[in-house]
Amino acid sequence: MKKLLLAGSLFFTALASEAQKKTADLTIIYDAVITTGSVEPRLADAFDGATTTVYLKGHHSRSEMVSALAKFTTIHDSRTGAGVVLQEVGGQKVLIRMTADNWKDKNRKYEGIRFIPSTETKMLAGYLCKKAVAEMKDGSSFVVYYTEDIIPENNDYNSQFTNLKGLPLEYELTQGKLNIRYVVSQVSLNPVPVSKFDIPKAGYREMTYEESKRGRKN
C-alpha cells in the first residue's frame, strides 16, 4: 500500500510540475540588435534601437515591434487562425486582415522547421537557456536560446517556434539583407489585459492580405 501511495504521489507531483511550466499569460520584451553590416542604411535605421513586446493570453497573441521610425503590430487568434497586421510608418496607418490561410501562407517558410539541440547554455533574464540550431527546409538556419522553465500554452503565437519545446529568449530573424538578433530584456508572468487583443475599428486604412502582397511586389 505504501508503495502504491508513493507511486501515486510521484505521479501527481510530475503532473503538477509539468502544469506549472505552462502559462497562459505571458509578456516578453526583446531588444533588437543589428548584427549585419547593412548595405541598406535606411532599413537598418528603421530597426535601430527597436524593441519587440510579445503578449500572450490563452489563444490570443500580440507582437509589437516599435522603433523611432515605425511600429508594426501583429494580433493573432490561434483558435481561428485569423489575425491582423497593423503598420504605422511615416504617419500612414494600415490594417491588413489575414485569414487562417493567409497566416499559413505568410509563415510557409517555417513549415517543417527542426531544432537541433546543443550542450551550450547561457543565463538570460534569470533563466537557464539551452542553445539550438534551427534548420529550415530552404537550407537556411539560425540560432536560438530557449528556456524550458516557461512553456506558453499557445505555441502557435509565432510560427518560427511552434515546434520549439520552450520559450525563446534570444534568436535571430532575417529581414531581406538585414539580420536582426532579438535578446530578451524582461519576462513577466502577470495577467495580460484582454483589451490588448482588441482590433482597432477606426483610424487605419484597411487592405486585404493579397493587396498587401501586391504592394510589396511593386
Side-chain angles (χ1 to χ4, degrees):
M1 178 61 74
K2 286 183 178 179
K3 289 184 178 180
L4 286 174
L5 289 173
L6 178 59
S9 176
L10 290 173
F11 175 75
F12 286 110
T13 299
L15 284 181
S17 175
E18 181 64 24
Q20 286 172 352
K21 285 185 178 181
K22 293 197 173 184
T23 180
D25 288 77
L26 182 62
T27 302
I28 321 121
I29 302 176
Y30 300 92
D31 292 326
V33 181
I34 308 299
T35 59
T36 301
S38 177
V39 295
E40 301 178 45
R42 278 193 229 168
L43 186 57
D45 288 343
F47 287 95
D48 187 35
T51 61
T52 292
T53 304
V54 178
Y55 301 96
L56 301 179
K57 189 177 189 70
H59 54 84
H60 293 292
S61 65
R62 177 188 181 105
S63 176
E64 296 178 351
M65 193 287 287
V66 181
S67 73
L69 300 181
K71 179 178 180 180
F72 300 94
T73 301
T74 300
I75 302 172
H76 182 248
D77 184 337
S78 64
R79 184 180 54 185
T80 65
V84 300
V85 173
L86 309 174
Q87 300 179 353
E88 299 181 31
V89 182
Q92 296 188 357
K93 301 171 72 173
V94 177
L95 185 154
I96 303 166
R97 296 192 180 274
M98 300 176 66
T99 64
D101 287 340
N102 296 155
W103 180 265
K104 186 175 181 180
D105 179 69
K106 182 176 183 291
N107 295 285
R108 197 173 299 280
K109 65 179 179 179
Y110 298 122
E111 288 181 354
I113 191 170
R114 297 189 310 141
F115 292 94
I116 311 303
S118 160
T119 57
E120 187 176 331
T121 63
K122 69 161 68 173
M123 294 296 294
L124 291 166
Y127 293 93
L128 179 64
C129 295
K130 296 182 178 181
K131 177 182 177 180
V133 176
E135 297 182 347
M136 296 191 286
K137 61 183 180 182
D138 64 0
S140 61
S141 64
F142 63 89
V143 172
V144 57
Y145 286 88
Y146 66 99
T147 179
E148 295 176 324
D149 293 335
I150 303 174
I151 299 178
E153 283 187 4
N154 175 9
N155 66 343
D156 292 323
Y157 75 95
N158 187 332
S159 297
Q160 196 171 354
F161 302 116
T162 298
N163 298 330
L164 186 66
K165 305 303 181 183
L167 181 70
L169 296 186
E170 181 179 325
Y171 64 97
E172 299 170 349
L173 183 64
T174 300
Q175 299 264 353
K177 297 180 180 179
L178 201 62
N179 185 271
I180 309 167
R181 184 164 55 94
Y182 290 93
V183 183
V184 66
S185 63
Q186 185 178 331
V187 177
S188 172
L189 302 178
N190 293 330
V192 177
V194 177
S195 59
K196 279 290 182 186
F197 312 99
D198 291 342
I199 298 173
K201 296 180 179 179
Y204 288 80
R205 177 171 65 88
E206 288 200 28
M207 64 170 60
T208 64
Y209 175 68
E210 288 75 16
E211 289 171 335
S212 72
K213 286 182 67 175
R214 288 197 294 269
R216 288 197 295 270
K217 292 176 181 178
N218 293 335

